[in-house]
Amino acid sequence: MAGVTDTKPRAIIALDLLRFASALLVVAFHYGAAFARAPSGSSAIMLRGLPLSDAAAPFTWFGWIGVELFFVISGFVIALSAEGASAGAFLRRRALRLLPAAWICATATLLVMSVATPGPMLLRRWADSMIFAPGIVQIDPSYWTLGIELCFYLLIATGLGRAGLSEAIERRAVLLGAWSTAFWLFALLADWAATPLMDLRSAQLMLLPHGCFFALGVLAWAMISRQRTPGRITLFGLFLATALVEIAGRTVERTHALRIVESPLVPILVFCAGLAVVLGSLRLQPWLARRVDARTATTLGLMTYPLYLLHQEIGAAIVAASMRLGAPFPAAAMIALTAMLGAAWWVARRGEPAVRRWLAAAIDGAVALSRSRGPGRDNRPSASPPAG
């Protein structure tokens, strides 16, 4: 593997494309299967009484696997970006990456829901979403993953110290993977008694069901950037087996909710294909660079996050409004998808950068002020940490 990662690429095209494909999988799951068979609370209210078709369900029911792929990509990217960073610089980058789009999307969802399904709790849910309250019902069901991501970031940040070492990041990932493996081993030994805990918020925030996916991403980066040792390969295999158990358990839960009978084979195959892309992402870089415009790939990657946050409740509102104006369900779903892609592009290219600049200035100003007032310091502001 020597020479593959002599320098870290600024943008990994394969990961940007995989991110976007994973988001489309989640959108397809909701629009093609969940809206017709198992909509969330607010979506159920908006779509009630409409002739929704579930004809696409056999081809989209497994789209939830995009979330598991998000977690793997997150582990990979965090291991890459946290290496050599202090805890403060790492957390600054994560804040600038997560907060601006979430604030914009939560506010947009609040505005739409205030018209579509007004209620006394909307403002509270918006406020909870704005501060990333991890254990609270938020403005859109898709926000459930953000608290999990936040807990993972905090776990990694505790090991960075003044300059993050790859070994410390990997050690935490291995412990996290072992923690998750123990949880799923208990599930198997207890005849799947732990499966209902998948959706228990406290278990999710302790990274019990999903820690194996983050660990896979971190180990994938370790094997690519350093060496494929027997120990790393063994741990990767163990955490992959754990991930497949989680996917099997999630399949049981999803198919029950959708009232269909399916095996976990399809989501497992899709997940393994995505994992292969992660493992081969740097080797694919030269080939993809000749065939895919890097700026387009970057834009698609940036669109993933707002598309994920916007598509569910606002999408249901657009589907409902379109159908009540006479559009058949397939056309209404395409209208919603087109609108969400356009909104995601605007957030990624226009709205988020503007909010990020303001937030970066606010963070850096607060840090500089704090340092200038610290004991033993003069009044000159310290240099700002590097941009993420």
Side-chain angles (χ1 to χ4, degrees):
M1 299 299 293
V4 174
T5 58
D6 293 335
T7 60
K8 297 179 184 179
R10 294 185 63 184
I12 303 177
I13 295 175
L15 291 189
D16 283 330
L17 297 179
L18 181 60
R19 277 195 190 100
F20 189 67
S22 298
L24 290 180
L25 279 171
V26 177
V27 174
F29 165 70
H30 285 121
Y31 290 10
F35 277 4
R37 288 182 166 264
S40 66
S42 297
S43 297
I45 295 170
M46 291 183 283
L47 299 171
R48 184 178 298 153
L50 296 172
L52 303 176
S53 170
D54 62 357
F59 313 102
T60 60
W61 70 269
F62 54 86
W64 48 265
I65 196 65
V67 170
E68 279 79 352
L69 287 171
F70 284 149
F71 291 150
V72 174
I73 296 169
S74 182
F76 186 94
V77 171
I78 291 308
L80 184 158
S81 62
E83 189 172 336
S86 67
F90 171 75
L91 291 174
R92 177 184 183 275
R93 292 173 188 171
R94 291 299 92 201
L96 294 178
R97 178 70 183 93
L98 288 184
L99 292 175
W103 289 347
I104 296 170
C105 294
T107 302
T109 304
L110 171 69
L111 295 175
V112 172
M113 300 299 287
S114 296
V115 175
T117 57
M121 293 301 294
L122 272 179
L123 196 59
R124 170 66 183 274
R125 291 179 178 179
W126 170 80
D128 289 335
S129 301
M130 295 290 282
I131 63 172
F132 278 46
I136 307 296
V137 177
Q138 297 182 343
I139 196 71
D140 186 292
S142 295
Y143 282 65
W144 74 273
T145 61
L146 299 190
I148 296 171
E149 290 274 0
L150 182 60
C151 289
F152 173 63
Y153 298 158
L154 292 174
L155 176 67
I156 295 299
T158 61
L160 295 180
R162 297 185 62 84
L165 299 176
S166 55
E167 292 81 3
I169 297 169
E170 186 176 351
R171 280 196 300 270
R172 274 165 172 70
V174 168
L175 290 173
L176 176 58
W179 175 247
S180 183
T181 297
F183 170 80
W184 285 109
L185 181 61
F186 168 74
L188 290 175
L189 294 177
D191 195 23
W192 292 95
T195 305
L197 295 179
M198 285 190 303
D199 296 318
L200 184 66
R201 194 58 177 163
S202 58
Q204 291 177 346
L205 296 177
M206 289 190 291
L207 305 176
L208 284 167
H210 306 104
C212 53
F213 297 101
F214 293 110
L216 280 173
V218 174
L219 282 174
W221 172 248
M223 291 193 293
I224 290 173
S225 63
R226 294 192 292 281
Q227 188 178 5
R228 291 185 179 178
T229 64
R232 288 191 178 115
I233 293 172
T234 300
L235 288 169
F236 190 88
L238 174 63
F239 300 152
L240 175 57
T242 304
L244 299 185
V245 172
E246 192 276 346
I247 294 170
R250 182 61 66 186
T251 299
V252 171
E253 185 266 336
R254 293 297 190 191
T255 54
H256 176 75
L258 295 172
R259 303 184 304 280
I260 59 177
V261 178
E262 296 285 351
S263 81
L265 179 61
V266 174
I268 283 174
L269 290 176
V270 174
F271 176 78
C272 289
L275 186 59
V277 171
V278 173
L279 287 168
S281 57
L282 295 192
R283 289 194 180 278
L284 288 169
Q285 184 80 356
W287 185 85
L288 287 172
R290 294 192 298 270
R291 292 164 174 81
V292 179
D293 180 70
R295 288 175 297 181
T296 299
T298 298
T299 297
L300 292 175
L302 292 173
M303 287 171 58
T304 296
Y305 184 38
L307 176 62
Y308 174 75
L309 294 180
L310 290 168
H311 81 277
Q312 193 168 349
E313 298 288 52
I314 297 180
I318 294 173
V319 167
S322 300
M323 293 186 71
R324 290 191 171 94
L325 291 174
F329 175 65
M334 288 304 300
I335 292 170
L337 175 60
T338 302
M340 292 300 91
L341 289 172
W345 180 90
W346 183 87
V347 172
R349 303 306 300 181
R350 298 290 185 269
E352 185 180 10
V355 177
R356 186 187 298 118
R357 287 191 294 270
W358 171 83
L359 181 60
I363 292 174
D364 295 345
V367 170
L369 181 62
S370 174
R371 289 177 175 175
S372 69
R373 292 179 175 178
R377 304 272 185 172
D378 59 26
N379 290 325
R380 291 173 296 174
S382 301
S384 300

